[in-house]
Amino acid sequence: MIPENIRSQFPILDQQVHGHPLVYLDNAATTQKPLSVINALSDYYLTLNANIHRGAHHLATEATERYEAVRRQVQHFINARHSHEIVFTRGTTESINLVASSFSRRYFTGDDEVIVSGMEHHSNIVPWQLAGARLRPIPFSDEGVLDIDEYRNLFTPKTRIVAVTAVSNTLGTVNPVAEIVRIAHEHGVPVLVDGAQMVAHEPTDVQAMGCDFFCFSAHKMYGPMGTGVMYGREELLNELPPYQGGGEMISEVTFERTTYNDLPFKFEAGTPSVGDVIGLGKAIDFMNEIGINEIARQEANLLEYATSRLCEIPGVRIFGTAPHKSAVLSFLVGNAHPYDLGTLLDQLGVAVRTGHHCTQPVMDRYGIPGTVRASFAVYNTTAEVDAFISALERVLPLL
Ligand SMILES: Cc1ncc(COP(=O)(O)O)c(C=O)c1O
């Protein structure tokens, strides 16, 4: 699909902000949604709204079929072995909390370590702390590359799980997840991969990666907010206790004792966000229509162009220069505060993110308070990169 055709599917991009054409470069925070996803949401509420799995009537049956069809679609999209390994959640954060809570109740003994990377999002740090683990972070170089030799040294008899991000939301680094998994498995330790920044930008194959859990959010892959996925290998999911109790996750309930439902329903207590899951299916259709390899290729071109243009700015420092990078550009210019830069860019219609990006340990690693982050999606253009650089050149003399 050519870029103009892609862009025409995102009416939100065609607007003025503060009197300037919107240049949306905050895609690592959330991507915009194509019309097919937006229409699927309104169609769902206009024609289909019903609670799933338990109704005998037409709307409930139809809604259930559509919801379960998306489960199979997700299975194929990430190449899971079984559709019952796909659990719908509210997003990456809930997916990781689910694993941390259930896994720790099953396998933690009171003196437990979790290996994470030094570049984790807070949502892959705090749930493990809440579960009582001591975190052992894998250090990374100034370029933002994980030190795999140091990683090997972090394993101890107390290591229960490795939890790493596939792609850093701050540095853009694409981590060698298959290698990380192979090393962990040599120690008999399972691996959770945070795929929030991967699924919309790189082909995802959980079997090739070999990971035990894989978590992601629909809203970062052109889908609706408030829904996401926790993939878990069948054998492990069967071992874990449920995360939440309630309707749908049970087999039989008495006041004395409850037995649990089969996978994946054991982990889906209560009424899910059915319309949003159906919207996620349309988002996957959108990406498949272009092709994930083509998306990766277009974004790599944009990143290369944006990096070279940004390097023209005197005093610019880019954080994250790993050889294998996703389309994320974190930077500072001279002594300009990132928040001031972001606010001034917004006045010229350019939407970027500023701050620590929920990765405070990364900021501590570099000794900085935050960065400005421009992040790209398949609908972005080189003309937008030019507009972003021109805006930067205009605002810098003001600081
Ligand atoms: C790497 C990474 N992990 C986890 C998350 C959390 O995702 P969500 O807020 O959709 O649960 C994000 C969101 O920015 C992220 O970039």
Side-chain angles (χ1 to χ4, degrees):
M1 203 185 298
I2 57 169
E4 297 79 69
N5 283 356
I6 294 173
R7 234 181 135 75
S8 67
Q9 297 183 46
F10 293 85
I12 195 170
L13 298 173
D14 187 19
Q15 64 175 296
Q16 306 268 311
V17 168
H18 305 304
H20 299 271
L22 170 65
V23 175
Y24 185 78
L25 301 180
D26 195 17
N27 295 288
T30 198
T31 55
Q32 298 303 344
K33 325 301 173 201
L35 275 173
S36 57
V37 169
I38 298 167
N39 290 338
L41 291 179
S42 67
D43 280 355
Y44 170 76
Y45 287 108
L46 284 169
T47 65
L48 202 59
N49 179 51
N51 211 328
I52 53 169
H53 292 141
R54 31 200 128 158
H57 59 84
H58 169 75
L59 294 185
T61 315
E62 185 67 22
T64 304
E65 274 173 20
R66 300 259 197 107
Y67 180 85
E68 291 303 326
V70 177
R71 202 188 301 276
R72 293 189 293 277
Q73 220 184 336
V74 171
Q75 175 202 349
H76 297 305
F77 188 67
I78 64 169
N79 193 31
R81 195 168 283 121
H82 307 291
S83 64
H84 57 253
E85 295 178 316
I86 306 300
V87 173
F88 290 118
T89 64
R90 286 194 304 122
T92 313
T93 302
E94 187 176 56
S95 296
I96 299 174
N97 275 278
L98 186 168
V99 179
S101 166
S102 295
F103 187 91
S104 61
R105 277 185 286 133
R106 174 73 178 76
Y107 294 111
F108 280 18
T109 59
D111 190 9
D112 309 281
E113 294 178 357
V114 174
I115 298 177
V116 294
S117 85
M119 58 180 80
E120 292 312 312
H121 189 280
H122 296 162
S123 63
N124 201 21
I125 296 176
V126 185
W128 300 109
Q129 291 172 329
L130 289 173
R134 174 178 173 232
L135 297 185
R136 307 286 314 269
I138 312 168
F140 59 88
S141 68
D142 288 348
E143 293 73 31
V145 177
L146 289 181
D147 187 332
I148 297 298
D149 288 332
E150 281 299 319
Y151 165 56
R152 288 177 206 277
N153 294 332
L154 293 176
F155 287 87
T156 75
K158 299 175 191 167
T159 309
R160 304 286 174 249
I161 191 167
V162 174
V164 288
T165 191
V167 176
S168 160
N169 63 309
T170 300
L171 305 172
T173 311
V174 178
N175 288 319
V177 179
E179 190 184 0
I180 289 171
V181 171
R182 191 174 45 71
I183 294 166
H185 285 179
E186 280 167 16
H187 289 86
V189 172
V191 180
L192 173 143
V193 173
D194 173 349
Q197 297 293 343
M198 180 184 197
V199 276
H201 308 282
E202 301 254 331
T204 301
D205 183 334
V206 289
Q207 291 187 67
M209 248 186 278
C211 60
D212 301 279
F213 302 101
F214 187 84
C215 306
F216 58 97
S217 303
H219 74 95
K220 292 183 195 285
M221 53 188 289
Y222 308 102
M225 288 196 169
T227 200
V229 170
M230 188 280 291
Y231 154 84
R233 271 201 308 113
E234 181 185 39
E235 305 83 80
L236 268 159
L237 291 186
N238 277 328
E239 288 294 313
L240 299 189
Y243 173 51
Q244 293 179 326
E248 204 58 36
M249 51 73 73
I250 52 88
S251 173
E252 225 175 292
V253 178
T254 65
F255 285 114
E256 289 70 39
R257 187 167 170 271
T258 292
T259 51
Y260 306 128
N261 204 340
D262 295 332
L263 295 178
F265 309 111
K266 182 172 97 175
F267 293 105
E268 290 183 3
T271 303
S273 199
V274 181
D276 293 320
V277 167
I278 292 170
L280 166 61
K282 294 293 175 195
I284 293 175
D285 286 342
F286 166 77
M287 286 190 289
N288 283 341
E289 234 173 89
I290 305 170
I292 191 76
N293 286 309
E294 177 60 18
I295 293 175
R297 194 187 64 77
Q298 290 192 24
E299 290 180 0
N301 288 344
L302 268 180
L303 177 68
E304 194 184 333
Y305 181 66
T307 306
S308 69
R309 293 280 347 250
L310 191 60
C311 287
E312 291 168 12
I313 307 270
V316 79
R317 280 172 75 196
I318 295 178
F319 297 88
T321 51
H324 192 183
K325 257 192 83 169
S326 190
V328 170
L329 258 182
S330 266
F331 64 95
L332 289 174
V333 187
N335 291 325
H337 195 280
Y339 182 76
D340 295 340
L341 260 179
T343 308
L344 289 170
L345 286 172
D346 175 59
Q347 291 303 306
L348 298 176
V350 179
V352 291
R353 183 138 299 233
T354 64
H356 54 62
H357 318 299
C358 297
T359 56
Q360 282 182 355
V362 174
M363 301 303 134
D364 294 344
R365 161 71 177 74
Y366 291 106
I368 53 176
T371 70
V372 181
R373 183 186 71 186
S375 53
F376 303 90
V378 70
Y379 42 66
N380 288 126
T381 63
T382 50
E384 286 182 305
V385 173
D386 290 335
F388 158 56
I389 299 293
S390 306
L392 205 49
E393 285 168 339
R394 267 183 71 184
V395 304
L396 278 170
L398 308 175
L399 290 167

